[in-house]
Amino acid sequence: MLTLQNAGISKTSQRLAVLNILLKATKPLSVSTIRQSIEKEADIDKVTVYRILSLFRKRGIIRKIASAGGANYFEIATLENPLHPHFSCRNCGALTCLAPLPFTKAPELILSKDDYSIDHIEINISGLCACCRNTAKTKTSLHQREE
Amino acid sequence: MLTLQNAGISKTSQRLAVLNILLKATKPLSVSTIRQSIEKEADIDKVTVYRILSLFRKRGIIRKIASAGGANYFEIATLENPLHPHFSCRNCGALTCLAPLPFTKAPELILSKDDYSIDHIEINISGLCACCRNTAKTKTSLHQREE
DNA sequence: ATAATTGTTGCAACTCGGTTGCATTTTTGA
DNA sequence: TCAAAAATGCAACCGAGTTGCAACAATTAT
Ligand SMILES: [Mn+2]
Ligand SMILES: [Mn+2]
Ligand SMILES: [Zn+2]
Ligand SMILES: [Zn+2]
């Protein structure tokens, strides 16, 4: 089970709050989303959130997902939640998790020589989520996205 | 051959400059890099560069590559330069192109049902480039990167 | 040729994600 | 209990990217 303790991170209320939000999430979260899902009275400064996420990443308990739209997203990284591709909807911007693929084969596929040492592979897919595709068929979609 | 003309884009000195820079490049370029590789006297406003890149993308002659470090990168998208993974060095931040993979198989692999319609697949790999790995062995590397 | 229209650029101001420095608070531990 | 170390918050800042508008250039119509 993933706790601050067995990740070797000293326990503070802010770190606990951020960890619990990430544990509950079913998709990667941005910093602003993380902060919004914290009670008003327990508000955490954005700098603190960045520092906590940076620490979590150093300890290997979360990973960062890059997105074309500026912000980065974060999700729990455990054995039960291995690295996997993500789907980014062109219309509403929603970022969802896809089923894990055998990334373990990717290094051999990609590395012909000794040119790179790989420590992270990220696959991001974009298009239309089912929801947006359906609404697009009927009306012109509710929530647009540029990109 | 890729020109503004046969891409259906009216010719201006600014668009020509940006296109030529992208055509010469051997790796994806950021907006700031593009602007820096323009002669001082022919300087192009950053807004104009963004508008040009957006237009090029709409015409399908360039593609955008997301990176974890904030900025987006751009490269020519032609039949001779099909979609491919990129390598991002954890140490120096260099972004290089890797050999194309059979992405065409990916949609079937990823989409079990009818949940998404895919129009772009991006694979980003990060680690250490050969250069940085070697220098890291001897000295502590010259140019560091956080991330 | 001239005027009206349209397309393109540049400037200023702004938003947003993320970082840095420093003072203040909290925790640790001798 | 008291000092050192760690963690938080605040303010100020930076860089990427966007928006509105005025100036300018290229077309098109009169
Ligand atoms: Mn995920
Ligand atoms: Mn490339
Ligand atoms: Zn959607
Ligand atoms: Zn490197």
Side-chain angles (χ1 to χ4, degrees):
Chain A
M1 190 217 175
L2 178 49
T3 66
L4 291 176
Q5 323 297 343
N6 58 34
I9 298 169
S10 65
K11 188 166 157 185
T12 73
S13 65
Q14 292 90 336
R15 289 169 179 178
L16 206 58
V18 171
L19 179 63
N20 283 334
I21 289 168
L22 289 172
L23 281 172
K24 269 182 290 187
T26 60
K27 54 181 186 188
L29 303 179
S30 67
V31 167
S32 65
T33 303
I34 291 172
R35 294 191 66 210
Q36 281 161 16
S37 44
I38 292 177
E39 330 295 329
K40 285 279 183 304
E41 66 269 14
D43 184 43
I44 304 177
D45 190 82
K46 75 173 171 174
V47 180
T48 304
V49 175
Y50 280 112
R51 287 193 274 232
I52 289 174
L53 292 172
S54 169
L55 173 65
F56 283 6
R57 236 152 62 86
K58 251 177 243 159
R59 291 292 178 281
I61 64 172
I62 65 171
R63 69 177 69 94
K64 173 158 77 162
I65 288 101
S67 87
N72 293 312
Y73 290 75
F74 302 87
E75 69 181 2
I76 294 290
T78 59
L79 293 175
E80 301 84 51
N81 192 38
L83 192 52
H84 51 267
H86 292 93
F87 186 87
S88 158
C89 180
R90 170 181 79 230
N91 184 253
C92 68
L95 192 64
T96 52
C97 304
L98 297 176
L101 286 180
F103 284 143
T104 41
K105 293 192 302 187
E108 298 101 73
L109 279 171
I110 289 160
L111 300 183
S112 41
K113 293 158 289 177
D114 191 37
D115 282 350
Y116 311 100
S117 82
I118 291 180
D119 51 41
H120 189 67
I121 296 184
E122 185 157 347
I123 302 193
N124 294 311
I125 300 166
S126 55
L128 277 183
C129 66
C131 159
C132 283
R133 188 152 33 103
N134 294 335
T135 62
K137 275 176 192 161
T138 58
K139 294 202 160 206
T140 308
S141 58
L142 354 168
H143 42 223
Q144 236 87 313
R145 259 257 155 168
E146 43 11 286
E147 260 312 306
Chain B
M1 190 219 173
L2 178 48
T3 66
L4 292 175
Q5 323 295 348
N6 59 33
I9 298 169
S10 64
K11 187 168 158 185
T12 73
S13 65
Q14 292 88 336
R15 289 170 179 176
L16 207 58
V18 172
L19 179 63
N20 284 333
I21 288 168
L22 289 171
L23 281 171
K24 268 183 289 186
T26 60
K27 55 180 188 194
L29 304 179
S30 68
V31 166
S32 66
T33 303
I34 291 172
R35 293 192 66 212
Q36 280 161 17
S37 44
I38 292 177
E39 329 295 329
K40 285 279 183 307
E41 66 270 12
D43 184 43
I44 305 177
D45 190 82
K46 76 173 169 175
V47 180
T48 303
V49 175
Y50 281 111
R51 287 194 275 232
I52 289 173
L53 292 172
S54 170
L55 174 65
F56 285 3
R57 236 153 61 87
K58 253 176 241 158
R59 292 291 178 281
I61 63 173
I62 65 171
R63 69 176 70 93
K64 172 159 77 162
I65 289 102
S67 88
N72 292 312
Y73 290 74
F74 301 87
E75 70 181 1
I76 294 289
T78 60
L79 293 175
E80 299 85 51
N81 192 39
L83 191 53
H84 51 266
H86 292 93
F87 186 87
S88 159
C89 179
R90 171 181 82 230
N91 183 252
C92 67
L95 192 64
T96 52
C97 304
L98 296 177
L101 287 179
F103 284 143
T104 42
K105 292 192 302 188
E108 299 102 72
L109 278 171
I110 289 160
L111 300 184
S112 41
K113 294 158 291 178
D114 190 37
D115 282 350
Y116 310 100
S117 83
I118 292 180
D119 51 44
H120 188 67
I121 297 183
E122 184 157 347
I123 302 193
N124 294 310
I125 300 164
S126 55
L128 277 184
C129 67
C131 160
C132 284
R133 189 152 32 103
N134 293 335
T135 61
K137 275 175 191 160
T138 57
K139 295 203 160 205
T140 308
S141 58
L142 353 169
H143 41 223
Q144 237 88 313
R145 259 256 155 169
E146 43 10 284
E147 260 309 307

